[in-house]
Amino acid sequence: MHAKFLLPLVAAQAAWAQTLTDVLASQNHTLSTLIGLLQQQPDLVRTLGGLSDITVLAPSNEAFSKLLSDPAVAAAVQSTPSLVPALLTYHVLNGTFYASALTSLTAPAFVPTYLTNTDYSTVSGGQVVEVKAENGGVTILSGNGASARVQGTDFNFTGGTVHIIDSVLSIPPNLTVALTQGNLTSLAGAATKANLVQAVSDIQELTLFAPNNEAFAAVADVAAGLTIEQLTAVLGYHVISGSVVYSSDITNGTQAKTLQGSDVKLTIKDGSVFVNQAKVVKPDVLVKNGVVHVIDG
Ligand SMILES: *[C@@H]1O[C@H](CO)[C@@H](O)[C@H](O)[C@H]1NC(C)=O
Ligand SMILES: *[C@@H]1O[C@H](CO)[C@@H](O)[C@H](O)[C@H]1NC(C)=O
Ligand SMILES: *[C@@H]1O[C@H](CO)[C@@H](O)[C@H](O)[C@H]1NC(C)=O
Ligand SMILES: *[C@@H]1O[C@H](CO)[C@@H](O)[C@H](O)[C@H]1NC(C)=O
Ligand SMILES: *[C@@H]1O[C@H](CO)[C@@H](O)[C@H](O)[C@H]1NC(C)=O
Ligand SMILES: *[C@@H]1O[C@H](CO)[C@@H](O)[C@H](O)[C@H]1NC(C)=O
């Protein structure tokens, strides 16, 4: 008798006011690893429970086993207690984005997350993820081009919605690591020579137009003759300090003031973005303190 009476009530309540914890638990067959990680982070769970208007990107059990099978990652998780909470907050988007809004995107969107721990990101308003509608579904891009596919959508709760993703997102690395990952060795070498690596890494809101190795090779003779002051000025002309300009922010004819003092002009031709005469060959590489666009000149 009791059970019969209680069941419909419980079901009705669940439909009206599912908390984030309830919704995750309802998908325990896919999300038990995430649930286990959250159980070890009571402060974070309390914070998340108090938020509204959020979208949680919930990595599946398979996503976590892929990630944790990398011994370097497993070791980092053990040795750096702040890493798991930082990583989990990077999966919480500021805003409620139902699947319909994501699949109908006509251009990549850069969506702020709750990753605001300055050890991991100094981008104001929270580090971003890149969201793209692709092949009838949704792709989420994060650090070092890591790509996750949205698998299950619109598990709604009182504070927003949850989408299940097939890979764990990657917190964008610092500039030094990003230059190495991107094979931008000539730029890294020039910046080291001009003693600019630390200064540019310390900029809180950075946009860097990063010439690739071919671009440096093309001006090798001239570059070799530059004094340190000249090199500093040339490199400074590739840096915007104080604003993070994603490709979605660029409209044809945008001017931006560089660290060196002069403006660069951003134009759009045949679907490609140009910085003055140089073409952006790889846009939107996310870094701890902003964004890098790789250019060919
Ligand atoms: C969730 O799934 C895990 C792993 O399969 C299992 O150990 C646990 O008992 C499940 N929890 C609930 C509440 O069903
Ligand atoms: C979330 O976005 C809103 C504006 O849409 C902003 O007012 C708020 O400060 C943001 N929250 C965080 C934690 O950045
Ligand atoms: C969640 O809410 C959205 C927007 O109201 C709706 O489209 C979607 O169907 C809901 N999901 C479920 C499982 O009820
Ligand atoms: C960049 O990150 C790497 C790896 O986490 C670290 O070893 C290095 O010291 C950092 N560099 C700077 C300039 O912060
Ligand atoms: C890195 O740059 C060098 C020099 O330009 C080039 O030979 C090499 O193929 C590049 N590697 C990758 C992975 O892009
Ligand atoms: C952008 O502006 C330039 C002139 O500055 C023009 O040649 C070009 O066609 C414009 N691009 C678009 C996409 O409108």
Side-chain angles (χ1 to χ4, degrees):
M1 279 298 276
H2 252 97
K4 264 187 190 160
F5 178 70
L6 279 174
L7 269 174
L9 256 185
V10 170
Q13 195 182 23
W16 283 110
Q18 287 221 303
T19 64
L20 176 57
T21 311
D22 296 335
V23 162
L24 295 178
S26 77
Q27 302 302 311
N28 185 55
H29 53 287
T30 316
L31 299 179
S32 57
T33 308
L34 174 62
I35 292 168
L37 285 171
L38 285 168
Q39 280 165 352
Q40 293 164 24
Q41 307 287 338
D43 290 348
L44 177 62
V45 170
R46 211 168 301 124
T47 306
L48 292 180
L51 297 177
S52 58
D53 200 14
I54 62 175
T55 301
V56 175
L57 300 174
S60 65
N61 292 342
E62 279 175 39
F64 277 111
S65 50
K66 261 193 290 179
L67 178 78
L68 296 170
S69 68
D70 179 344
V73 172
V77 165
Q78 288 302 318
S79 66
T80 319
S82 63
L83 182 57
V84 169
L87 185 59
L88 294 175
T89 52
Y90 190 46
H91 287 74
V92 180
L93 310 184
N94 184 0
T96 308
F97 305 101
Y98 297 112
S100 56
L102 301 181
T103 51
S104 62
L105 284 171
T106 54
F110 295 83
V111 181
T113 71
Y114 274 83
L115 175 57
T116 53
N117 178 340
T118 53
D119 290 343
Y120 293 92
S121 170
T122 59
V123 173
S124 75
Q127 182 56 281
V128 303
V129 294
E130 178 177 353
V131 183
K132 270 182 169 172
E134 238 174 27
N135 309 324
V138 177
T139 302
I140 315 284
L141 297 169
S142 54
N144 195 23
S147 166
R149 269 310 259 183
V150 171
Q151 286 185 320
T153 60
D154 289 346
F155 299 100
N156 301 337
F157 65 102
T158 46
T161 195
V162 175
H163 305 311
I164 297 174
I165 55 176
D166 71 352
S167 301
V168 180
L169 304 178
S170 183
I171 295 176
N174 65 30
L175 188 59
T176 317
V177 171
L179 293 182
T180 307
Q181 287 172 342
N183 198 27
L184 298 163
T185 48
S186 301
L187 174 61
T192 302
K193 190 173 163 192
N195 201 19
L196 280 175
V197 175
Q198 194 62 49
V200 176
S201 299
D202 286 347
I203 292 173
Q204 288 193 4
E205 303 273 301
L206 170 78
T207 305
L208 171 67
F209 299 108
N212 60 19
N213 288 347
E214 291 73 13
F216 272 94
V219 296
D221 292 349
V222 180
L226 296 181
T227 64
I228 296 296
E229 287 70 25
Q230 289 166 332
L231 184 60
T232 301
V234 169
L235 293 176
Y237 190 54
H238 293 75
V239 175
I240 299 168
S241 172
S243 80
V244 184
V245 182
Y246 302 105
S247 59
S248 59
D249 301 320
I250 297 174
T251 54
N252 201 18
T254 304
Q255 303 261 7
K257 190 175 170 65
T258 68
L259 198 59
Q260 177 263 350
S262 318
D263 286 358
V264 285
K265 188 172 183 189
L266 304 171
T267 49
I268 301 170
K269 271 180 247 164
D270 304 327
S272 295
V273 173
F274 288 79
V275 188
N276 296 344
Q277 307 308 318
K279 183 176 176 177
V280 173
V281 290
K282 189 176 181 198
D284 302 310
V285 177
L286 304 177
V287 293
K288 177 183 174 182
N289 59 339
V291 71
V292 175
H293 304 290
V294 180
I295 57 176
D296 72 352

